[in-house]
Amino acid sequence: MPDHRAMDGLDLTNDRPVYVIGAGPGGLAVAAALKERGVRAVVLEKSASVGASWRGHYDRLRLHTTRRLSALPGLTMPRKFGRWVSRDNVIRYLEKYAEVHELELVTGVEVSRIEPAGTDWVLHASGGRRLTGRAVVVATGYNHTPRVPNWPGLDAYGGELLHASAYRGPAPYAGKDVLVVGVGNTGAEIAVDLVEGGAARVRLAVRTVPHIVRRSTAGWPAQRTAILVRRLPVRLVDRAARLMCRVAVPDLTAHGLPRPDTGLYSRVRQGAIPVQDVGLIAAVRAGRVEPVAAVESFEDGKAVLADGSRIAVDTVIAATGYRRGLEPLVGHLGVLDARGRPVVHGGRTPRDAPGLYFTGFTNPISGMLRELARDAEKIARALAPRRG
């Protein structure tokens, strides 16, 4: 069983462990990899259990990466989970992962600020506690703080507005007119979930037309292609992807979703991950999901779109992404870029902040869980005692 304790049970007379902030897949993987190498790692989690962000995802969610390529170091995912693992099974896997590796996990503790103290690090935690460790791994998650645009007139909008992080399933929206804002993977999947769940009308507001790819083609998952091409020249991948998408993905221009005029991999390098089709193509072709222009503002209870049209809807679901939310924790250390992302990740540590590591703050085309597993091994190698 994992050493799972509340804050009051934390031994503050510790041996300067490595503190891992966050008990999601990234934090658990790092802790397991460190323990495997004989390094004491204490995982600090502000919620009551592991995988808190996964527990908050919508019911329909399944991994877009395959089971075999989504396992963390030291524990495979059971075959019974199927090829595309459900949200609930991801949670079960994370719980089992902490148990199998007997991780030192402390729940109910929130770290508000990290500061260097000589060669050590001091963590300011719940209840005025100060914890000292020889290194810190920040694994608080890519989807940390929901972001809702400050649309003009939003305060006067009389309908229901929620961020996608608060969406669980379609039942509350049966018979309603819903506008989903944002056509990333989350927005696309929620739109499909709504039409399948009985929403009267579903519109999908699109600012930048996405690249859409098949999750799997003739049994070959898109993830494996992404792994193979990620180090090839951008122009070459863009050309190959353009040809492949023309063969595999129908032209939806007549339905309001034209093909992008920029390369797929060029967009990936800018942080835009392709939308993996889990029903969006069929729903758009059938007219059940209606692409519309981006939302610019709200006026007289209606959403004002970029093309000048105004639409009245019962509910607006903002699938508009997240902020990393790292500024209070490490913003004073000069380790974040202009967009609030860590300047390094994985086994590298900032030049002016040795001993501080980050994992899970990129959105790789090759799969988040796969890259978290790789990062964990790199961080563990960097912090493990040298042999020989």
Side-chain angles (χ1 to χ4, degrees), residues 19-21 44 111-115 121-125 129-133 135-136:
Y19 281 109
V20 181
I21 305 175
L44 305 177
V111 179
S112 57
R113 186 178 174 91
I114 304 171
E115 293 180 332
W121 287 90
V122 173
L123 291 73
H124 298 263
R129 308 292 184 98
R130 290 165 60 91
L131 310 175
T132 302
V136 178

Side-chain angles (χ1 to χ4, degrees), residues 2 32 35-36 72-75 96-104:
K35 184 176 181 181
E36 177 67 20
L72 302 178
L75 185 66
K96 188 67 174 180
Y97 192 85
E99 178 183 335
V100 166
H101 290 286
E102 299 182 332
L103 300 181
E104 194 170 347

Side-chain angles (χ1 to χ4, degrees), residues 50-213:
V50 303
S53 64
W54 280 93
R55 296 173 193 275
H57 287 316
Y58 48 93
D59 299 340
R60 175 193 177 97
L61 180 65
R62 288 182 174 271
L63 291 180
H64 291 168
T65 55
T66 67
R67 171 180 53 81
R68 289 186 176 181
L69 294 176
S70 300
L72 302 178
L75 185 66
T76 59
M77 287 188 172
R79 288 180 59 115
K80 65 182 180 181
F81 284 1
R83 194 179 199 193
W84 312 107
V85 182
S86 70
R87 179 204 62 185
D88 289 348
N89 280 334
V90 170
I91 295 168
R92 292 186 183 98
Y93 173 75
L94 296 179
E95 292 172 339
K96 188 67 174 180
Y97 192 85
E99 178 183 335
V100 166
H101 290 286
E102 299 182 332
L103 300 181
E104 194 170 347
L105 172 65
V106 185
T107 58
V109 51
E110 182 172 8
V111 179
S112 57
R113 186 178 174 91
I114 304 171
E115 293 180 332
T119 58
D120 290 334
W121 287 90
V122 173
L123 291 73
H124 298 263
S126 305
R129 308 292 184 98
R130 290 165 60 91
L131 310 175
T132 302
R134 69 180 185 90
V136 178
V137 182
V138 180
T140 50
Y142 189 84
N143 296 338
H144 186 272
T145 305
R147 185 183 72 85
V148 177
N150 187 24
W151 288 300
L154 181 59
D155 291 344
Y157 172 61
E160 179 185 14
L161 171 71
L162 66 150
H163 187 269
S165 60
Y167 177 87
R168 294 294 175 269
Y173 313 100
K176 292 187 177 182
D177 190 331
V178 185
L179 173 65
V180 180
V181 182
V183 68
N185 278 293
T186 297
E189 194 156 342
I190 287 176
V192 173
D193 199 34
L194 286 165
V195 298
E196 293 180 354
R201 187 175 187 181
V202 177
R203 282 171 278 197
L204 183 60
V206 179
R207 183 171 298 280
T208 303
V209 178
H211 286 274
I212 303 174
V213 299

